[in-house]
Amino acid sequence: MRILFLTSGREVPSSRFRVLQYVPYFEQRGHHCVVAPSRPPKYRGWPWLGNRLSELPRAGARTLDLMRTAWSRFDVVVVERELFSSGITFFEKQFRRIAPAIVLDVDDGIFLSAPQKFQELAALSDTVVAGNRLIAAYSEKSNPRTVLIPTSLDLSRYEYQPPTQCVDQPIVLGWTGTAGNYPQLGLITEALRKLPAERDYELRIIAEREPPAELTSLDNIKVRFQPWNAEREIEDLRAFDIGLMPLPDDEWARYKCGLKVLQYLALGIPAIASPVGVNSEILTHEQNGLLADSTAAWIDAIKRLADDIDLRRKLATAGRATVEASYSVEKNVMLWEEVLNSAAAP
């Protein structure tokens, strides 16, 4: 097949993990892939222009993509999330007119802020691919041809390394994400401040810009910010002894796809997460991770993992097995290929 992927941007997490890591596998299987990212990236316009005015150059770039689609005769066009963060669906409808098949990929609750827009996008698509069970359930209301393919990792890049005993070194508590999600990390600052002083802890934060002061002033805990870098991403994550994924129990968070947790587990980093949305499906408490729903529970979970290397190793081994079984690109590329073949069939 000839496949065109319309993505949010080359470094946008949804593009990287829902599309870009699959492309080499599709090409190995004989398909021709073209990736057309939003220019400038969606949700994050050029700073000197602003996100709203950045819709103008985005529209110009998508017009060129439309022309290329008309000339190149792609068998299927994959729209990652939506083409524009505003309410317009004009360009998706134009691609629908000229493309033999449209597949919409959704990995977040984008329908919460624009339900009518999502209904239009789902209805014009031959198939909707949902990143988790809750997204799939919502999507099926607008398009019964909805398929669940969870957010996955290319395990050829994520080499498993079992936890090691920390001797005369602080326990590194790690969090990675976009700066817009700093409020999620803020949910557990009280727990971090109340950790017992007899053990040294360090909070390592990886994001594209520095955290606010309320995340860097944690009394006895040293906080270190590591700017996110695509080339160093996995190496920087390996510095974590314990991976953290706090979430609020709200409607938006329930549709998250658990990427942080999956990255931790794939690398052999024991994880603690809020039991919200897909986190409770990925993690089974005390089997492949720990779930914490209160300040006291977060304190207890961190202390247990910090003090018990055998527990960290047990959870790390089981966590890696979880990713290998259900959340690997190597397995799920076949599901994607079935979806694309089905959509492109006459």
Side-chain angles (χ1 to χ4, degrees):
M1 287 183 291
R2 292 176 56 82
I3 310 165
L4 174 64
F5 294 96
L6 303 174
T7 68
S8 299
R10 295 195 182 279
E11 293 190 346
V12 176
S14 56
S15 301
R16 294 170 54 228
F17 291 95
R18 299 293 298 181
V19 174
L20 297 181
Q21 61 179 353
Y22 279 98
V23 168
Y25 288 87
F26 287 137
E27 293 181 336
Q28 289 172 12
R29 301 168 82 87
H31 306 296
H32 176 69
C33 300
V34 174
V35 178
S38 175
R39 302 178 293 275
K42 194 168 52 187
Y43 313 123
R44 202 171 59 236
W46 286 319
W48 52 271
L49 192 57
N51 190 50
R52 185 178 296 273
L53 289 178
S54 291
E55 295 286 52
L56 297 175
R58 288 189 190 108
R62 287 307 183 200
T63 299
L64 295 176
D65 293 332
L66 272 169
M67 297 169 62
R68 175 164 56 175
T69 303
W71 298 331
S72 301
R73 298 181 181 274
F74 291 102
D75 298 297
V76 59
V77 173
V78 178
V79 177
E80 182 244 306
R81 286 200 179 193
E82 55 187 351
L83 295 184
F84 294 86
S85 56
S86 57
I88 66 171
T89 57
F90 171 80
F91 279 90
E92 287 92 346
K93 292 174 181 176
Q94 301 312 304
F95 278 103
R96 171 74 281 179
R97 291 178 57 192
I98 62 176
I102 298 284
V103 172
L104 175 67
D105 180 64
V106 186
D107 75 329
D108 222 332
I110 59 172
F111 38 76
L112 296 177
S113 57
Q116 181 60 40
K117 176 183 177 180
F118 178 80
Q119 291 170 14
E120 291 181 22
L121 295 181
L124 64 81
S125 302
D126 294 279
T127 305
V128 177
V129 175
N132 63 43
R133 176 181 54 81
L134 294 176
I135 295 173
Y138 188 98
S139 172
E140 287 171 349
K141 302 173 187 176
S142 300
N143 189 332
R145 299 180 303 279
T146 295
V147 178
L148 170 60
I149 302 180
T151 294
S152 303
L153 299 177
D154 182 355
L155 292 183
S156 68
R157 299 180 60 239
Y158 287 77
E159 181 183 355
Y160 172 74
Q161 293 182 0
T164 58
Q165 183 74 35
C166 299
V167 179
D168 299 326
Q169 292 181 341
I171 293 287
V172 177
L173 309 174
W175 182 91
T176 183
T178 58
N181 288 328
Y182 277 145
Q184 297 173 5
L185 181 57
L187 295 171
I188 61 169
T189 53
E190 182 181 358
L192 296 174
R193 288 192 179 97
K194 291 182 177 180
L195 288 172
E198 59 264 23
R199 178 178 283 280
D200 289 334
Y201 292 95
E202 175 185 310
L203 175 63
R204 189 80 55 90
I205 299 173
I206 300 176
E208 77 277 15
R209 68 173 184 268
E210 292 192 19
E214 56 265 29
L215 293 180
T216 59
S217 303
L218 296 177
D219 302 329
N220 294 328
I221 297 181
K222 176 184 176 182
V223 179
R224 176 178 171 185
F225 169 66
Q226 180 72 50
W228 179 84
N229 180 286
E231 295 180 358
R232 294 199 319 267
E233 179 180 32
I234 293 176
E235 178 185 351
D236 290 340
L237 287 172
R238 289 193 190 282
F240 296 0
D241 296 308
I242 301 170
L244 310 176
M245 188 175 178
L247 284 177
D249 191 6
D250 61 27
E251 195 171 28
W252 182 264
R254 292 183 201 120
Y255 289 103
K256 292 288 184 183
C257 284
L259 175 60
K260 294 181 185 60
V261 167
L262 294 174
Q263 288 186 294
Y264 303 151
L265 300 188
L267 291 171
I269 302 167
I272 309 172
S274 300
V276 175
V278 76
N279 284 358
S280 298
E281 297 180 19
I282 298 172
L283 295 181
T284 301
H285 187 57
E286 302 211 14
Q287 293 188 24
N288 63 350
L290 297 181
L291 297 169
D293 59 1
S294 67
T295 295
W298 275 96
I299 294 171
D300 179 69
I302 292 172
K303 287 172 56 181
R304 288 182 62 196
L305 289 179
D307 295 338
D308 191 341
I309 183 61
D310 291 332
L311 177 60
R312 296 214 307 271
R313 288 170 177 163
K314 168 194 166 185
L315 298 182
T317 300
R320 172 70 181 203
T322 297
V323 179
E324 290 175 348
S326 303
Y327 301 97
S328 73
V329 167
E330 292 85 344
K331 284 183 176 287
N332 290 328
V333 67
M334 292 182 286
L335 294 177
W336 260 109
E337 191 173 42
E338 291 175 8
V339 167
L340 296 176
N341 274 321
S342 177

